[in-house]
Amino acid sequence: QVQLVESGGGSVQPGESLRLSCAASGFTFTTADMGWFRQAPGQAPGKEREWVAGISSTGAIKNYQESVKDRFTISRDNTKNTTYLEMNSLKPEDTAIYYCNTLLKNRNYWGQGTQVTVSS
């Protein structure tokens, strides 16, 4: 079955960096576009997770939410079935649970999430 397992979250101070990883299994990773989403604490129930960044199956195309485009970098290693999110210059407003995502045959798959807390 499809599995996405995030890791790398933690608590950091503003301006610091973190690198998130998402290990994928159960599907053909090399043909799947991947994405990162986040959900901030206290969001109203039912509010959708916020898209952060996406990467095409080959890694040739990358897209970012405007608020992170100069600070975050999405990448992937198709030999390791892993997607990464390098986050630099972190801000308190980046505090959220970060989720890895892929869409396969019109169905969304999610990992369990990894907590990122940015606070002084």
Side-chain angles (χ1 to χ4, degrees), residues 4-7 19-24 27 29-30 32-36 53-57 59 62 73-86 99-102:
L4 300 171
V5 180
E6 301 95 336
S7 61
R19 188 194 197 202
L20 306 183
S21 299
C22 171
F27 62 101
F29 184 76
T30 55
D33 297 341
M34 300 296 297
W36 286 95
I55 187 167
S56 63
S57 59
K62 303 176 184 181
T73 302
I74 190 170
S75 62
R76 63 191 295 159
D77 185 339
N78 282 358
T79 68
K80 297 181 179 179
N81 284 11
T82 301
T83 303
Y84 304 97
L85 187 67
E86 181 77 32
Y99 297 90
C100 182
N101 167 270
T102 192

PDB file of all heavy atoms in Angstrom, residues 4-7 19-24 27 29-30 32-36 53-57 59 62 73-86 99-102:
ATOM      1  N   LEU A   4       3.677   7.210   2.962  1.00  0.00           N
ATOM      2  CA  LEU A   4       4.507   8.399   2.973  1.00  0.00           C
ATOM      3  C   LEU A   4       4.884   8.668   4.423  1.00  0.00           C
ATOM      4  O   LEU A   4       3.998   8.803   5.268  1.00  0.00           O
ATOM      5  CB  LEU A   4       3.750   9.594   2.400  1.00  0.00           C
ATOM      6  CG  LEU A   4       3.259   9.462   0.958  1.00  0.00           C
ATOM      7  CD1 LEU A   4       2.346  10.630   0.594  1.00  0.00           C
ATOM      8  CD2 LEU A   4       4.427   9.380  -0.009  1.00  0.00           C
ATOM      9  N   VAL A   5       6.177   8.733   4.698  1.00  0.00           N
ATOM     10  CA  VAL A   5       6.638   8.896   6.076  1.00  0.00           C
ATOM     11  C   VAL A   5       7.542  10.119   6.157  1.00  0.00           C
ATOM     12  O   VAL A   5       8.654  10.116   5.616  1.00  0.00           O
ATOM     13  CB  VAL A   5       7.379   7.644   6.564  1.00  0.00           C
ATOM     14  CG1 VAL A   5       7.844   7.845   8.004  1.00  0.00           C
ATOM     15  CG2 VAL A   5       6.488   6.414   6.448  1.00  0.00           C
ATOM     16  N   GLU A   6       7.051  11.148   6.841  1.00  0.00           N
ATOM     17  CA  GLU A   6       7.813  12.376   7.001  1.00  0.00           C
ATOM     18  C   GLU A   6       8.720  12.296   8.221  1.00  0.00           C
ATOM     19  O   GLU A   6       8.411  11.598   9.197  1.00  0.00           O
ATOM     20  CB  GLU A   6       6.897  13.589   7.172  1.00  0.00           C
ATOM     21  CG  GLU A   6       5.926  13.847   6.040  1.00  0.00           C
ATOM     22  CD  GLU A   6       4.566  13.238   6.299  1.00  0.00           C
ATOM     23  OE1 GLU A   6       4.494  12.268   7.081  1.00  0.00           O
ATOM     24  OE2 GLU A   6       3.576  13.732   5.729  1.00  0.00           O
ATOM     25  N   SER A   7       9.804  13.036   8.161  1.00  0.00           N
ATOM     26  CA  SER A   7      10.709  13.161   9.296  1.00  0.00           C
ATOM     27  C   SER A   7      11.467  14.473   9.171  1.00  0.00           C
ATOM     28  O   SER A   7      11.440  15.125   8.115  1.00  0.00           O
ATOM     29  CB  SER A   7      11.684  11.983   9.347  1.00  0.00           C
ATOM     30  OG  SER A   7      12.477  11.936   8.183  1.00  0.00           O
ATOM     31  N   ARG A  19      15.482  20.590   7.562  1.00  0.00           N
ATOM     32  CA  ARG A  19      15.312  19.831   6.337  1.00  0.00           C
ATOM     33  C   ARG A  19      14.350  18.681   6.606  1.00  0.00           C
ATOM     34  O   ARG A  19      14.639  17.801   7.430  1.00  0.00           O
ATOM     35  CB  ARG A  19      16.636  19.269   5.842  1.00  0.00           C
ATOM     36  CG  ARG A  19      16.549  18.621   4.469  1.00  0.00           C
ATOM     37  CD  ARG A  19      17.774  17.796   4.196  1.00  0.00           C
ATOM     38  NE  ARG A  19      17.949  17.473   2.791  1.00  0.00           N
ATOM     39  CZ  ARG A  19      18.666  16.445   2.355  1.00  0.00           C
ATOM     40  NH1 ARG A  19      19.283  15.648   3.217  1.00  0.00           N
ATOM     41  NH2 ARG A  19      18.782  16.216   1.051  1.00  0.00           N
ATOM     42  N   LEU A  20      13.228  18.721   5.931  1.00  0.00           N
ATOM     43  CA  LEU A  20      12.243  17.656   6.060  1.00  0.00           C
ATOM     44  C   LEU A  20      12.471  16.601   4.985  1.00  0.00           C
ATOM     45  O   LEU A  20      12.871  16.929   3.863  1.00  0.00           O
ATOM     46  CB  LEU A  20      10.826  18.213   5.927  1.00  0.00           C
ATOM     47  CG  LEU A  20      10.445  19.372   6.847  1.00  0.00           C
ATOM     48  CD1 LEU A  20       8.982  19.739   6.639  1.00  0.00           C
ATOM     49  CD2 LEU A  20      10.718  19.036   8.300  1.00  0.00           C
ATOM     50  N   SER A  21      12.176  15.362   5.336  1.00  0.00           N
ATOM     51  CA  SER A  21      12.269  14.259   4.378  1.00  0.00           C
ATOM     52  C   SER A  21      10.943  13.531   4.323  1.00  0.00           C
ATOM     53  O   SER A  21      10.209  13.479   5.319  1.00  0.00           O
ATOM     54  CB  SER A  21      13.362  13.273   4.801  1.00  0.00           C
ATOM     55  OG  SER A  21      14.628  13.888   4.835  1.00  0.00           O
ATOM     56  N   CYS A  22      10.661  12.953   3.177  1.00  0.00           N
ATOM     57  CA  CYS A  22       9.459  12.151   2.996  1.00  0.00           C
ATOM     58  C   CYS A  22       9.850  10.879   2.248  1.00  0.00           C
ATOM     59  O   CYS A  22      10.166  10.933   1.059  1.00  0.00           O
ATOM     60  CB  CYS A  22       8.407  12.918   2.223  1.00  0.00           C
ATOM     61  SG  CYS A  22       6.981  11.910   1.725  1.00  0.00           S
ATOM     62  N   ALA A  23       9.829   9.771   2.959  1.00  0.00           N
ATOM     63  CA  ALA A  23      10.164   8.483   2.348  1.00  0.00           C
ATOM     64  C   ALA A  23       8.899   7.833   1.815  1.00  0.00           C
ATOM     65  O   ALA A  23       7.921   7.679   2.547  1.00  0.00           O
ATOM     66  CB  ALA A  23      10.820   7.581   3.388  1.00  0.00           C
ATOM     67  N   ALA A  24       8.913   7.474   0.544  1.00  0.00           N
ATOM     68  CA  ALA A  24       7.724   6.946  -0.128  1.00  0.00           C
ATOM     69  C   ALA A  24       7.891   5.470  -0.463  1.00  0.00           C
ATOM     70  O   ALA A  24       8.997   5.007  -0.774  1.00  0.00           O
ATOM     71  CB  ALA A  24       7.458   7.735  -1.398  1.00  0.00           C
ATOM     72  N   PHE A  27       4.271   2.605  -4.384  1.00  0.00           N
ATOM     73  CA  PHE A  27       3.875   3.082  -5.705  1.00  0.00           C
ATOM     74  C   PHE A  27       5.144   3.405  -6.496  1.00  0.00           C
ATOM     75  O   PHE A  27       6.247   3.410  -5.939  1.00  0.00           O
ATOM     76  CB  PHE A  27       2.960   4.302  -5.608  1.00  0.00           C
ATOM     77  CG  PHE A  27       3.579   5.511  -4.956  1.00  0.00           C
ATOM     78  CD1 PHE A  27       4.061   6.570  -5.713  1.00  0.00           C
ATOM     79  CD2 PHE A  27       3.673   5.614  -3.573  1.00  0.00           C
ATOM     80  CE1 PHE A  27       4.626   7.684  -5.118  1.00  0.00           C
ATOM     81  CE2 PHE A  27       4.229   6.719  -2.962  1.00  0.00           C
ATOM     82  CZ  PHE A  27       4.717   7.758  -3.731  1.00  0.00           C
ATOM     83  N   PHE A  29       7.440   5.661  -7.539  1.00  0.00           N
ATOM     84  CA  PHE A  29       7.827   7.017  -7.136  1.00  0.00           C
ATOM     85  C   PHE A  29       8.335   7.842  -8.313  1.00  0.00           C
ATOM     86  O   PHE A  29       8.064   9.034  -8.407  1.00  0.00           O
ATOM     87  CB  PHE A  29       8.901   6.914  -6.057  1.00  0.00           C
ATOM     88  CG  PHE A  29       9.337   8.234  -5.484  1.00  0.00           C
ATOM     89  CD1 PHE A  29       8.540   8.914  -4.572  1.00  0.00           C
ATOM     90  CD2 PHE A  29      10.554   8.795  -5.848  1.00  0.00           C
ATOM     91  CE1 PHE A  29       8.941  10.128  -4.036  1.00  0.00           C
ATOM     92  CE2 PHE A  29      10.968   9.999  -5.327  1.00  0.00           C
ATOM     93  CZ  PHE A  29      10.162  10.670  -4.416  1.00  0.00           C
ATOM     94  N   THR A  30       9.039   7.208  -9.222  1.00  0.00           N
ATOM     95  CA  THR A  30       9.683   7.945 -10.305  1.00  0.00           C
ATOM     96  C   THR A  30       8.714   8.553 -11.296  1.00  0.00           C
ATOM     97  O   THR A  30       9.115   9.391 -12.108  1.00  0.00           O
ATOM     98  CB  THR A  30      10.657   7.031 -11.057  1.00  0.00           C
ATOM     99  OG1 THR A  30       9.947   5.864 -11.494  1.00  0.00           O
ATOM    100  CG2 THR A  30      11.819   6.614 -10.181  1.00  0.00           C
ATOM    101  N   ALA A  32       5.654   9.879 -10.128  1.00  0.00           N
ATOM    102  CA  ALA A  32       4.687  10.619  -9.317  1.00  0.00           C
ATOM    103  C   ALA A  32       5.179  12.017  -8.980  1.00  0.00           C
ATOM    104  O   ALA A  32       6.302  12.186  -8.497  1.00  0.00           O
ATOM    105  CB  ALA A  32       4.400   9.861  -8.027  1.00  0.00           C
ATOM    106  N   ASP A  33       4.325  13.016  -9.236  1.00  0.00           N
ATOM    107  CA  ASP A  33       4.592  14.345  -8.712  1.00  0.00           C
ATOM    108  C   ASP A  33       4.397  14.315  -7.192  1.00  0.00           C
ATOM    109  O   ASP A  33       3.547  13.575  -6.684  1.00  0.00           O
ATOM    110  CB  ASP A  33       3.629  15.368  -9.313  1.00  0.00           C
ATOM    111  CG  ASP A  33       3.790  15.514 -10.816  1.00  0.00           C
ATOM    112  OD1 ASP A  33       4.853  15.110 -11.347  1.00  0.00           O
ATOM    113  OD2 ASP A  33       2.855  16.030 -11.445  1.00  0.00           O
ATOM    114  N   MET A  34       5.176  15.125  -6.495  1.00  0.00           N
ATOM    115  CA  MET A  34       5.107  15.137  -5.029  1.00  0.00           C
ATOM    116  C   MET A  34       4.901  16.564  -4.535  1.00  0.00           C
ATOM    117  O   MET A  34       5.270  17.531  -5.211  1.00  0.00           O
ATOM    118  CB  MET A  34       6.399  14.572  -4.435  1.00  0.00           C
ATOM    119  CG  MET A  34       6.721  13.138  -4.835  1.00  0.00           C
ATOM    120  SD  MET A  34       5.505  11.955  -4.249  1.00  0.00           S
ATOM    121  CE  MET A  34       5.672  12.139  -2.473  1.00  0.00           C
ATOM    122  N   GLY A  35       4.332  16.679  -3.353  1.00  0.00           N
ATOM    123  CA  GLY A  35       4.114  18.001  -2.797  1.00  0.00           C
ATOM    124  C   GLY A  35       4.255  18.017  -1.286  1.00  0.00           C
ATOM    125  O   GLY A  35       4.228  16.969  -0.628  1.00  0.00           O
ATOM    126  N   TRP A  36       4.421  19.224  -0.765  1.00  0.00           N
ATOM    127  CA  TRP A  36       4.413  19.470   0.677  1.00  0.00           C
ATOM    128  C   TRP A  36       3.280  20.439   0.989  1.00  0.00           C
ATOM    129  O   TRP A  36       3.109  21.441   0.294  1.00  0.00           O
ATOM    130  CB  TRP A  36       5.735  20.068   1.139  1.00  0.00           C
ATOM    131  CG  TRP A  36       6.877  19.096   1.183  1.00  0.00           C
ATOM    132  CD1 TRP A  36       7.805  18.875   0.219  1.00  0.00           C
ATOM    133  CD2 TRP A  36       7.204  18.215   2.257  1.00  0.00           C
ATOM    134  NE1 TRP A  36       8.691  17.905   0.626  1.00  0.00           N
ATOM    135  CE2 TRP A  36       8.341  17.490   1.876  1.00  0.00           C
ATOM    136  CE3 TRP A  36       6.648  17.968   3.521  1.00  0.00           C
ATOM    137  CZ2 TRP A  36       8.942  16.531   2.707  1.00  0.00           C
ATOM    138  CZ3 TRP A  36       7.237  17.017   4.341  1.00  0.00           C
ATOM    139  CH2 TRP A  36       8.365  16.306   3.930  1.00  0.00           C
ATOM    140  N   ALA A  53       4.729  23.600  -1.528  1.00  0.00           N
ATOM    141  CA  ALA A  53       5.634  23.435  -2.671  1.00  0.00           C
ATOM    142  C   ALA A  53       5.313  22.129  -3.387  1.00  0.00           C
ATOM    143  O   ALA A  53       4.766  21.198  -2.789  1.00  0.00           O
ATOM    144  CB  ALA A  53       7.084  23.429  -2.207  1.00  0.00           C
ATOM    145  N   GLY A  54       5.668  22.078  -4.674  1.00  0.00           N
ATOM    146  CA  GLY A  54       5.457  20.869  -5.456  1.00  0.00           C
ATOM    147  C   GLY A  54       6.617  20.631  -6.394  1.00  0.00           C
ATOM    148  O   GLY A  54       7.317  21.570  -6.786  1.00  0.00           O
ATOM    149  N   ILE A  55       6.819  19.365  -6.734  1.00  0.00           N
ATOM    150  CA  ILE A  55       7.909  18.996  -7.633  1.00  0.00           C
ATOM    151  C   ILE A  55       7.415  17.918  -8.581  1.00  0.00           C
ATOM    152  O   ILE A  55       6.701  16.993  -8.180  1.00  0.00           O
ATOM    153  CB  ILE A  55       9.143  18.529  -6.825  1.00  0.00           C
ATOM    154  CG1 ILE A  55      10.339  18.301  -7.736  1.00  0.00           C
ATOM    155  CG2 ILE A  55       8.830  17.289  -5.995  1.00  0.00           C
ATOM    156  CD1 ILE A  55      11.661  18.138  -6.971  1.00  0.00           C
ATOM    157  N   SER A  56       7.802  18.046  -9.847  1.00  0.00           N
ATOM    158  CA  SER A  56       7.375  17.066 -10.842  1.00  0.00           C
ATOM    159  C   SER A  56       8.128  15.753 -10.659  1.00  0.00           C
ATOM    160  O   SER A  56       9.110  15.681  -9.921  1.00  0.00           O
ATOM    161  CB  SER A  56       7.607  17.615 -12.244  1.00  0.00           C
ATOM    162  OG  SER A  56       8.990  17.839 -12.455  1.00  0.00           O
ATOM    163  N   SER A  57       7.690  14.739 -11.369  1.00  0.00           N
ATOM    164  CA  SER A  57       8.235  13.402 -11.182  1.00  0.00           C
ATOM    165  C   SER A  57       9.741  13.325 -11.469  1.00  0.00           C
ATOM    166  O   SER A  57      10.460  12.579 -10.811  1.00  0.00           O
ATOM    167  CB  SER A  57       7.500  12.400 -12.073  1.00  0.00           C
ATOM    168  OG  SER A  57       7.619  12.773 -13.439  1.00  0.00           O
ATOM    169  N   GLY A  59      11.724  16.002 -11.260  1.00  0.00           N
ATOM    170  CA  GLY A  59      12.395  17.074 -10.528  1.00  0.00           C
ATOM    171  C   GLY A  59      12.658  18.305 -11.357  1.00  0.00           C
ATOM    172  O   GLY A  59      13.213  19.279 -10.853  1.00  0.00           O
ATOM    173  N   LYS A  62       9.534  22.815 -10.389  1.00  0.00           N
ATOM    174  CA  LYS A  62       9.291  23.070  -8.961  1.00  0.00           C
ATOM    175  C   LYS A  62       8.448  24.324  -8.836  1.00  0.00           C
ATOM    176  O   LYS A  62       8.667  25.292  -9.551  1.00  0.00           O
ATOM    177  CB  LYS A  62      10.623  23.262  -8.222  1.00  0.00           C
ATOM    178  CG  LYS A  62      11.569  22.086  -8.356  1.00  0.00           C
ATOM    179  CD  LYS A  62      12.897  22.375  -7.678  1.00  0.00           C
ATOM    180  CE  LYS A  62      13.879  21.232  -7.905  1.00  0.00           C
ATOM    181  NZ  LYS A  62      15.171  21.476  -7.225  1.00  0.00           N
ATOM    182  N   THR A  73      13.301  25.129  -0.404  1.00  0.00           N
ATOM    183  CA  THR A  73      13.679  24.432  -1.626  1.00  0.00           C
ATOM    184  C   THR A  73      13.174  22.997  -1.566  1.00  0.00           C
ATOM    185  O   THR A  73      13.490  22.258  -0.621  1.00  0.00           O
ATOM    186  CB  THR A  73      15.202  24.423  -1.812  1.00  0.00           C
ATOM    187  OG1 THR A  73      15.689  25.764  -1.849  1.00  0.00           O
ATOM    188  CG2 THR A  73      15.570  23.712  -3.113  1.00  0.00           C
ATOM    189  N   ILE A  74      12.395  22.621  -2.576  1.00  0.00           N
ATOM    190  CA  ILE A  74      11.917  21.248  -2.669  1.00  0.00           C
ATOM    191  C   ILE A  74      12.836  20.484  -3.618  1.00  0.00           C
ATOM    192  O   ILE A  74      13.318  21.031  -4.621  1.00  0.00           O
ATOM    193  CB  ILE A  74      10.448  21.197  -3.149  1.00  0.00           C
ATOM    194  CG1 ILE A  74       9.887  19.781  -3.015  1.00  0.00           C
ATOM    195  CG2 ILE A  74      10.300  21.741  -4.565  1.00  0.00           C
ATOM    196  CD1 ILE A  74       8.383  19.698  -3.241  1.00  0.00           C
ATOM    197  N   SER A  75      13.084  19.239  -3.283  1.00  0.00           N
ATOM    198  CA  SER A  75      13.935  18.398  -4.132  1.00  0.00           C
ATOM    199  C   SER A  75      13.509  16.945  -3.954  1.00  0.00           C
ATOM    200  O   SER A  75      12.670  16.629  -3.104  1.00  0.00           O
ATOM    201  CB  SER A  75      15.415  18.582  -3.785  1.00  0.00           C
ATOM    202  OG  SER A  75      15.665  18.178  -2.454  1.00  0.00           O
ATOM    203  N   ARG A  76      14.090  16.075  -4.763  1.00  0.00           N
ATOM    204  CA  ARG A  76      13.791  14.649  -4.643  1.00  0.00           C
ATOM    205  C   ARG A  76      14.989  13.838  -5.105  1.00  0.00           C
ATOM    206  O   ARG A  76      15.781  14.301  -5.937  1.00  0.00           O
ATOM    207  CB  ARG A  76      12.550  14.283  -5.461  1.00  0.00           C
ATOM    208  CG  ARG A  76      12.686  14.483  -6.959  1.00  0.00           C
ATOM    209  CD  ARG A  76      11.332  14.363  -7.664  1.00  0.00           C
ATOM    210  NE  ARG A  76      10.787  13.007  -7.541  1.00  0.00           N
ATOM    211  CZ  ARG A  76       9.482  12.720  -7.694  1.00  0.00           C
ATOM    212  NH1 ARG A  76       8.625  13.690  -7.928  1.00  0.00           N
ATOM    213  NH2 ARG A  76       9.063  11.478  -7.607  1.00  0.00           N
ATOM    214  N   ASP A  77      15.062  12.636  -4.560  1.00  0.00           N
ATOM    215  CA  ASP A  77      16.084  11.679  -4.964  1.00  0.00           C
ATOM    216  C   ASP A  77      15.338  10.425  -5.413  1.00  0.00           C
ATOM    217  O   ASP A  77      14.860   9.646  -4.565  1.00  0.00           O
ATOM    218  CB  ASP A  77      17.031  11.389  -3.809  1.00  0.00           C
ATOM    219  CG  ASP A  77      18.186  10.493  -4.216  1.00  0.00           C
ATOM    220  OD1 ASP A  77      18.064   9.780  -5.239  1.00  0.00           O
ATOM    221  OD2 ASP A  77      19.210  10.487  -3.508  1.00  0.00           O
ATOM    222  N   ASN A  78      15.226  10.245  -6.702  1.00  0.00           N
ATOM    223  CA  ASN A  78      14.456   9.112  -7.216  1.00  0.00           C
ATOM    224  C   ASN A  78      15.153   7.774  -7.010  1.00  0.00           C
ATOM    225  O   ASN A  78      14.523   6.726  -7.187  1.00  0.00           O
ATOM    226  CB  ASN A  78      14.127   9.330  -8.692  1.00  0.00           C
ATOM    227  CG  ASN A  78      12.967  10.298  -8.890  1.00  0.00           C
ATOM    228  OD1 ASN A  78      12.389  10.779  -7.914  1.00  0.00           O
ATOM    229  ND2 ASN A  78      12.645  10.599 -10.140  1.00  0.00           N
ATOM    230  N   THR A  79      16.412   7.800  -6.633  1.00  0.00           N
ATOM    231  CA  THR A  79      17.101   6.534  -6.307  1.00  0.00           C
ATOM    232  C   THR A  79      16.783   6.096  -4.880  1.00  0.00           C
ATOM    233  O   THR A  79      16.987   4.928  -4.531  1.00  0.00           O
ATOM    234  CB  THR A  79      18.617   6.682  -6.462  1.00  0.00           C
ATOM    235  OG1 THR A  79      19.122   7.565  -5.457  1.00  0.00           O
ATOM    236  CG2 THR A  79      18.988   7.197  -7.838  1.00  0.00           C
ATOM    237  N   LYS A  80      16.290   7.035  -4.076  1.00  0.00           N
ATOM    238  CA  LYS A  80      15.973   6.734  -2.678  1.00  0.00           C
ATOM    239  C   LYS A  80      14.471   6.841  -2.387  1.00  0.00           C
ATOM    240  O   LYS A  80      14.067   6.702  -1.227  1.00  0.00           O
ATOM    241  CB  LYS A  80      16.733   7.681  -1.755  1.00  0.00           C
ATOM    242  CG  LYS A  80      18.235   7.542  -1.832  1.00  0.00           C
ATOM    243  CD  LYS A  80      18.927   8.486  -0.865  1.00  0.00           C
ATOM    244  CE  LYS A  80      20.441   8.319  -0.931  1.00  0.00           C
ATOM    245  NZ  LYS A  80      21.143   9.247  -0.008  1.00  0.00           N
ATOM    246  N   ASN A  81      13.675   7.115  -3.419  1.00  0.00           N
ATOM    247  CA  ASN A  81      12.226   7.290  -3.224  1.00  0.00           C
ATOM    248  C   ASN A  81      11.927   8.295  -2.114  1.00  0.00           C
ATOM    249  O   ASN A  81      11.054   8.055  -1.258  1.00  0.00           O
ATOM    250  CB  ASN A  81      11.550   5.945  -2.911  1.00  0.00           C
ATOM    251  CG  ASN A  81      11.396   5.077  -4.137  1.00  0.00           C
ATOM    252  OD1 ASN A  81      11.959   5.360  -5.188  1.00  0.00           O
ATOM    253  ND2 ASN A  81      10.661   3.985  -4.004  1.00  0.00           N
ATOM    254  N   THR A  82      12.619   9.404  -2.140  1.00  0.00           N
ATOM    255  CA  THR A  82      12.496  10.381  -1.063  1.00  0.00           C
ATOM    256  C   THR A  82      12.377  11.794  -1.632  1.00  0.00           C
ATOM    257  O   THR A  82      13.066  12.153  -2.587  1.00  0.00           O
ATOM    258  CB  THR A  82      13.704  10.304  -0.124  1.00  0.00           C
ATOM    259  OG1 THR A  82      13.780   8.975   0.426  1.00  0.00           O
ATOM    260  CG2 THR A  82      13.588  11.298   1.020  1.00  0.00           C
ATOM    261  N   THR A  83      11.499  12.554  -1.007  1.00  0.00           N
ATOM    262  CA  THR A  83      11.326  13.969  -1.321  1.00  0.00           C
ATOM    263  C   THR A  83      11.798  14.781  -0.119  1.00  0.00           C
ATOM    264  O   THR A  83      11.604  14.359   1.030  1.00  0.00           O
ATOM    265  CB  THR A  83       9.851  14.277  -1.596  1.00  0.00           C
ATOM    266  OG1 THR A  83       9.378  13.444  -2.651  1.00  0.00           O
ATOM    267  CG2 THR A  83       9.659  15.728  -1.994  1.00  0.00           C
ATOM    268  N   TYR A  84      12.360  15.949  -0.385  1.00  0.00           N
ATOM    269  CA  TYR A  84      12.898  16.794   0.680  1.00  0.00           C
ATOM    270  C   TYR A  84      12.293  18.191   0.617  1.00  0.00           C
ATOM    271  O   TYR A  84      11.864  18.658  -0.435  1.00  0.00           O
ATOM    272  CB  TYR A  84      14.417  16.911   0.545  1.00  0.00           C
ATOM    273  CG  TYR A  84      15.134  15.585   0.525  1.00  0.00           C
ATOM    274  CD1 TYR A  84      15.507  14.995  -0.681  1.00  0.00           C
ATOM    275  CD2 TYR A  84      15.451  14.926   1.709  1.00  0.00           C
ATOM    276  CE1 TYR A  84      16.158  13.777  -0.708  1.00  0.00           C
ATOM    277  CE2 TYR A  84      16.106  13.702   1.691  1.00  0.00           C
ATOM    278  CZ  TYR A  84      16.452  13.137   0.482  1.00  0.00           C
ATOM    279  OH  TYR A  84      17.106  11.933   0.466  1.00  0.00           O
ATOM    280  N   LEU A  85      12.292  18.848   1.761  1.00  0.00           N
ATOM    281  CA  LEU A  85      11.948  20.265   1.819  1.00  0.00           C
ATOM    282  C   LEU A  85      12.978  20.941   2.706  1.00  0.00           C
ATOM    283  O   LEU A  85      12.968  20.766   3.931  1.00  0.00           O
ATOM    284  CB  LEU A  85      10.540  20.487   2.363  1.00  0.00           C
ATOM    285  CG  LEU A  85      10.049  21.933   2.299  1.00  0.00           C
ATOM    286  CD1 LEU A  85       9.874  22.370   0.846  1.00  0.00           C
ATOM    287  CD2 LEU A  85       8.737  22.100   3.067  1.00  0.00           C
ATOM    288  N   GLU A  86      13.862  21.696   2.072  1.00  0.00           N
ATOM    289  CA  GLU A  86      14.868  22.457   2.806  1.00  0.00           C
ATOM    290  C   GLU A  86      14.250  23.806   3.147  1.00  0.00           C
ATOM    291  O   GLU A  86      13.803  24.539   2.258  1.00  0.00           O
ATOM    292  CB  GLU A  86      16.110  22.653   1.931  1.00  0.00           C
ATOM    293  CG  GLU A  86      17.235  23.401   2.589  1.00  0.00           C
ATOM    294  CD  GLU A  86      18.023  22.545   3.571  1.00  0.00           C
ATOM    295  OE1 GLU A  86      18.129  21.327   3.331  1.00  0.00           O
ATOM    296  OE2 GLU A  86      18.503  23.098   4.578  1.00  0.00           O
ATOM    297  N   TYR A  99       3.034  18.112   5.896  1.00  0.00           N
ATOM    298  CA  TYR A  99       2.606  16.843   5.327  1.00  0.00           C
ATOM    299  C   TYR A  99       3.155  16.664   3.920  1.00  0.00           C
ATOM    300  O   TYR A  99       3.130  17.588   3.102  1.00  0.00           O
ATOM    301  CB  TYR A  99       1.079  16.772   5.245  1.00  0.00           C
ATOM    302  CG  TYR A  99       0.372  16.827   6.569  1.00  0.00           C
ATOM    303  CD1 TYR A  99      -0.025  18.040   7.120  1.00  0.00           C
ATOM    304  CD2 TYR A  99       0.089  15.655   7.277  1.00  0.00           C
ATOM    305  CE1 TYR A  99      -0.690  18.094   8.338  1.00  0.00           C
ATOM    306  CE2 TYR A  99      -0.571  15.702   8.489  1.00  0.00           C
ATOM    307  CZ  TYR A  99      -0.963  16.926   9.018  1.00  0.00           C
ATOM    308  OH  TYR A  99      -1.623  16.966  10.222  1.00  0.00           O
ATOM    309  N   CYS A 100       3.581  15.459   3.646  1.00  0.00           N
ATOM    310  CA  CYS A 100       3.968  15.056   2.307  1.00  0.00           C
ATOM    311  C   CYS A 100       2.721  14.544   1.581  1.00  0.00           C
ATOM    312  O   CYS A 100       1.830  13.961   2.209  1.00  0.00           O
ATOM    313  CB  CYS A 100       5.018  13.951   2.433  1.00  0.00           C
ATOM    314  SG  CYS A 100       5.685  13.332   0.899  1.00  0.00           S
ATOM    315  N   ASN A 101       2.679  14.766   0.281  1.00  0.00           N
ATOM    316  CA  ASN A 101       1.463  14.426  -0.476  1.00  0.00           C
ATOM    317  C   ASN A 101       1.794  13.938  -1.882  1.00  0.00           C
ATOM    318  O   ASN A 101       2.761  14.391  -2.503  1.00  0.00           O
ATOM    319  CB  ASN A 101       0.570  15.657  -0.573  1.00  0.00           C
ATOM    320  CG  ASN A 101      -0.548  15.509  -1.588  1.00  0.00           C
ATOM    321  OD1 ASN A 101      -0.382  15.847  -2.763  1.00  0.00           O
ATOM    322  ND2 ASN A 101      -1.672  14.967  -1.154  1.00  0.00           N
ATOM    323  N   THR A 102       0.979  13.008  -2.348  1.00  0.00           N
ATOM    324  CA  THR A 102       0.992  12.669  -3.763  1.00  0.00           C
ATOM    325  C   THR A 102      -0.423  12.334  -4.204  1.00  0.00           C
ATOM    326  O   THR A 102      -1.254  11.909  -3.377  1.00  0.00           O
ATOM    327  CB  THR A 102       1.951  11.498  -4.059  1.00  0.00           C
ATOM    328  OG1 THR A 102       2.129  11.387  -5.464  1.00  0.00           O
ATOM    329  CG2 THR A 102       1.428  10.177  -3.511  1.00  0.00           C
TER     330      THR A 102
END
